Amino acid sequence: MITISMKTLIAYGAVCISCAALASVTPTEAVWVGGVSGDLTTASNWSPATVPQTKSTTKAYCPVFRNSASVTLSANSDYWQGFSGFVVSNSSDVVFLQNGTSTTRLYAPIADVGNDGGEGTNFVFDIEAGSSLKLSGIAFRGKETVDLVKAGGGTLWTTLWLGNTATYREVDVREGVLKSTAARANNRVPRLRVRSGATFQTTADGGLSENFNSSVILEGGGLYDAGGKSLTFAHLNGFGAVSNVTTVTVTGAGESAATDVFAGRVYGTLKIAPTASTPENSGF
């Protein structure tokens, strides 16, 4: 067992995987009927035939994909907002492609985050086992009051950003795999939680942006796959594992508090950087 004197272990909540159950407003379902390729902003590609996008403070959408497809936004759009998450099912592989040289941004709905910046709930990607959603050149645009939740046994893969200039309160990997091949500076995650049986994977230059003093919580059976790179966190808690890693450095930066408790495994070197709240003799 390794006990690190930094911050109290955070309790884990129950798993719930539907967009409707995790949203503060009940989202309107929109089913993709545009075949194997098409434009997300073409109404006839959806059932009902309405583009699932809104700036409403009282409405949100949940787009559903039941077949494999490669989709883009129209040439005059560089953002898509107003949804509480996505559902990909039926062993489908869906790719969202970047619109030319523009960075396409996915925005959490105003209805969930509150028009005045008030408390929101969750931004859910429910990817069924055997299915995948790849966001190629796409940026998430969240809110500090909203969690990004990866649900379902499939894979969510982002290549450019995991959190933009406005990030999330927490990235919560509840099931399946959340993979980021973005540069470390673009993995802007203040807190990462990986639940039992789920995997978070980073590649490229590895890890989470050090500017966000990330706190990582690995539930027993939760896995962080570092892609053969070194990682730096502010805090590390839980009973899970860090695999495929060279070195994990825990700095203790940011949140000042009592104790971090990590009783899992690191398949590499673990370094504890001494700080005021993490003395060099902090016993592990």
Side-chain angles (χ1 to χ4, degrees):
M1 174 183 288
I2 301 170
T3 302
I4 307 168
S5 181
M6 293 182 203
K7 179 174 172 285
T8 305
L9 182 65
I10 299 174
Y12 308 110
V15 173
C16 181
I17 66 170
S18 73
C19 289
L22 290 172
S24 59
V25 295
T26 301
T28 299
E29 185 178 276
V31 179
W32 175 260
V33 292
V36 298
S37 64
D39 193 314
L40 294 168
T41 59
T42 299
S44 60
N45 284 335
W46 297 98
S47 178
T50 300
V51 177
Q53 177 169 287
T54 181
K55 294 182 179 180
S56 170
T57 60
T58 59
K59 188 171 185 176
Y61 286 96
C62 183
V64 176
F65 290 82
R66 295 174 180 153
N67 64 274
S68 297
S70 295
V71 295
T72 57
L73 287 176
S74 60
N76 62 354
S77 301
D78 69 348
Y79 67 90
W80 192 22
Q81 69 185 96
F83 53 89
S84 292
F86 288 86
V87 174
V88 181
S89 62
N90 200 30
S91 298
S92 301
D93 295 311
V94 177
V95 180
F96 283 15
L97 297 171
Q98 184 177 5
N99 172 28
T101 58
S102 299
T103 298
T104 301
R105 295 168 177 84
L106 304 181
Y107 285 78
I110 295 172
D112 265 358
V113 303
N115 198 34
D116 60 354
E119 185 74 5
T121 52
N122 296 313
F123 188 52
V124 187
F125 287 83
D126 188 355
I127 316 299
E128 186 181 87
S131 296
S132 67
L133 173 60
K134 180 180 179 181
L135 305 175
S136 182
I138 309 295
F140 293 111
R141 182 82 175 185
K143 190 83 171 180
E144 290 80 357
T145 54
V146 174
D147 295 345
L148 187 154
V149 176
K150 165 59 184 71
T155 299
L156 173 62
W157 177 6
T158 178
T159 68
L160 182 63
W161 298 89
L162 184 59
N164 202 329
T165 48
T167 184
Y168 296 93
R169 174 176 53 195
E170 174 174 291
V171 172
D172 184 358
V173 188
R174 300 192 174 194
E175 298 174 285
V177 178
L178 172 54
K179 178 168 74 169
S180 174
T181 51
R184 178 172 58 192
N186 292 344
N187 287 326
R188 299 175 176 182
V189 179
R191 188 166 69 224
L192 169 70
R193 187 186 303 270
V194 184
R195 310 265 182 164
S196 179
T199 298
F200 179 73
Q201 182 181 40
T202 51
T203 56
D205 55 354
L208 306 175
S209 173
E210 295 173 25
N211 294 330
F212 280 76
N213 294 323
S214 299
S215 178
V216 174
I217 305 119
L218 302 176
E219 185 178 338
L223 178 66
Y224 190 130
D225 180 345
K229 307 295 184 180
S230 292
L231 304 173
T232 299
F233 308 136
H235 301 281
L236 179 61
N237 279 289
F239 305 91
V242 184
S243 71
N244 200 13
V245 67
T246 304
T247 300
V248 176
T249 300
V250 182
T251 67
E255 301 177 14
S256 61
T259 16
D260 274 7
V261 178
F262 181 68
R265 295 188 177 189
V266 173
Y267 293 93
T269 300
L270 176 63
K271 294 182 178 180
I272 310 301
T275 67
S277 61
T278 26
E280 292 184 75
N281 63 347
S282 54
F284 55 90

